[in-house]
Amino acid sequence: MINEATLKDTIRDIIKNVIQEELTEAGTGSVQNQSIVTATADNSDDGFVEDVTAETMQDIFYVPNPYDRDGYMKMKEFTSGRLGIWRAGPRPLTKSYLRFVADHSAAQNAVWSDVDEKLIDDLGFIKLSTIAVDKAEYLKNPNTGKKLTDDAVEIVKKNTVKNLNVQIVFADGLSSRAIEKNAADFLPAFQQGLKSLGITYSTPFFVANGRVAIGDEIGELTDADVIAVLCGERPGLNSTGSMGAYITYKPTMGMEEARRTVISNIHAMGTAPVEAGAQIAELCQTMLTHKMSGVELKLV
């Protein structure tokens, strides 16, 4: 069996060869760049691992000798796509590949993790659960995230406010990180907006392992005029904390998705949570005025 020291030497040799290959491919095998290879081959191990996600994708640019670097960087300001990451022969650069792996891992973690219990308590949410027994079942069988447990149904009934205009519902959806990063900023702005418009609302529910359609059952149980579901959206490589708002006038179980009005990409690099809170409060007022939502509601 290979020992740890031999394994480390082998890995260093591989990294050295990969960097040398990239320098050769880029045509930058100068004496200065050769020192990078030498430094990489150093057998010292200080335990420090560079954070490959420290730079945003807009800042990363690996193309050697570009024709118009400034123009390329200007274009990158409008997208978080993986532009300008270059290659080593037919494969990605090692640093580009490591960034891809890191971002993919972050996306998986957003799906599989749970929302911090402390945040739920700090925001005063009323906790509910769906019939999904665990995260694995929730992901493999989406329908389990659309139905409350019997205990959760009783909790909703006990906390129902009569003649309520808006019932707020948070659900982890497919990104617990979306709730953790946005809820604390979004909720005060949303509640303040509703209050200023004279719209009544109640204590928000939080549904663990809940999907968008869980708001339909809550709507039938509470008979609130509008149900606003704030749900973690499916994460991507560049956005693991995006929250979506799914607002429906008088939702019913089994209804068509076209009855929902959706505002997506609520996060720091999209629609700011505070801005979204004010915007959705006004949207709720429009729904209450016209008594409709979704494709039937014509927004100017």
Side-chain angles (χ1 to χ4, degrees):
M1 179 181 293
I2 188 171
N3 59 42
E4 182 178 353
T6 303
L7 180 60
K8 285 185 177 181
D9 289 340
T10 302
I11 293 173
R12 290 191 182 97
D13 288 341
I14 292 173
I15 294 174
K16 174 182 177 181
N17 292 334
V18 167
I19 294 178
Q20 180 63 65
E21 179 184 339
E22 292 177 359
L23 292 173
T24 302
E25 173 69 21
T28 57
S30 63
V31 174
Q32 180 182 1
N33 287 322
Q34 292 297 332
S35 65
I36 299 176
V37 179
T38 302
T40 304
D42 185 1
N43 288 330
S44 63
D45 185 1
D46 59 5
F48 174 77
V49 178
E50 180 183 1
D51 182 2
V52 296
T53 66
E55 287 185 292
T56 66
M57 293 308 301
Q58 286 90 343
D59 294 328
I60 289 175
F61 187 73
Y62 297 145
V63 178
N65 305 315
Y67 174 75
D68 182 7
R69 188 182 192 283
D70 291 341
Y72 209 138
M73 296 303 292
K74 184 67 175 177
M75 178 176 63
K76 283 169 64 69
E77 291 179 7
F78 298 95
T79 178
S80 57
R82 292 168 191 271
L83 305 180
I85 59 176
W86 203 235
R87 56 181 172 76
R91 63 171 181 77
L93 298 177
T94 300
K95 50 193 173 184
S96 296
Y97 176 70
L98 291 176
R99 176 59 183 266
F100 173 86
V101 172
D103 289 341
H104 185 256
S105 297
Q108 287 182 311
N109 185 61
V111 173
W112 282 96
S113 61
D114 296 318
V115 176
D116 187 355
E117 288 286 339
K118 185 177 184 305
L119 175 68
I120 298 173
D121 292 336
D122 289 346
L123 293 178
F125 293 159
I126 299 171
K127 302 175 190 177
L128 305 175
S129 299
T130 63
I131 60 173
V133 297
D134 55 27
K135 187 70 72 174
E137 181 181 30
Y138 168 71
L139 294 173
K140 293 176 182 178
N141 186 356
N143 286 332
T144 61
K146 301 175 183 179
K147 184 75 175 67
L148 294 172
T149 63
D150 292 341
D151 289 342
V153 169
E154 292 304 314
I155 292 173
V156 173
K157 290 179 178 179
K158 290 178 181 177
N159 290 277
T160 293
V161 177
K162 292 184 178 181
N163 302 316
L164 188 67
N165 293 143
V166 177
Q167 177 62 61
I168 307 169
V169 180
F170 283 85
D172 43 9
L174 291 177
S175 175
S176 60
R177 189 178 182 189
I179 305 303
E180 293 176 345
K181 291 181 70 68
N182 301 299
D185 291 330
F186 171 87
L187 185 58
F190 185 35
Q191 292 176 324
Q192 180 60 39
L194 294 174
K195 184 177 180 180
S196 66
L197 294 170
I199 298 173
T200 60
Y201 59 90
S202 184
T203 303
F205 293 115
F206 174 80
V207 186
N209 292 333
R211 294 183 180 270
V212 171
I214 201 66
D216 302 343
E217 183 176 10
I218 294 174
E220 289 192 357
L221 291 170
T222 62
D223 196 33
D225 295 323
V226 173
I227 300 295
V229 178
L230 293 308
C231 191
E233 296 181 318
R234 180 181 291 106
L237 292 175
N238 295 321
S239 177
T240 60
S242 180
M243 187 173 72
Y246 302 81
I247 311 100
T248 314
Y249 182 81
K250 292 291 186 181
T252 54
M253 296 178 68
M255 70 177 203
E256 299 90 349
E257 294 296 319
R259 287 180 56 192
R260 306 189 203 284
T261 299
V262 182
I263 295 178
S264 60
N265 291 302
I266 300 173
H267 58 94
M269 299 299 292
T271 301
V274 173
E275 178 184 346
Q279 180 181 352
I280 295 171
E282 293 180 357
L283 178 59
C284 290
Q285 182 185 46
T286 302
M287 289 182 182
L288 292 168
T289 299
H290 296 283
K291 301 185 184 307
M292 62 179 65
S293 59
V295 296
E296 294 182 342
L297 185 65
K298 308 301 181 183
L299 300 176
V300 179

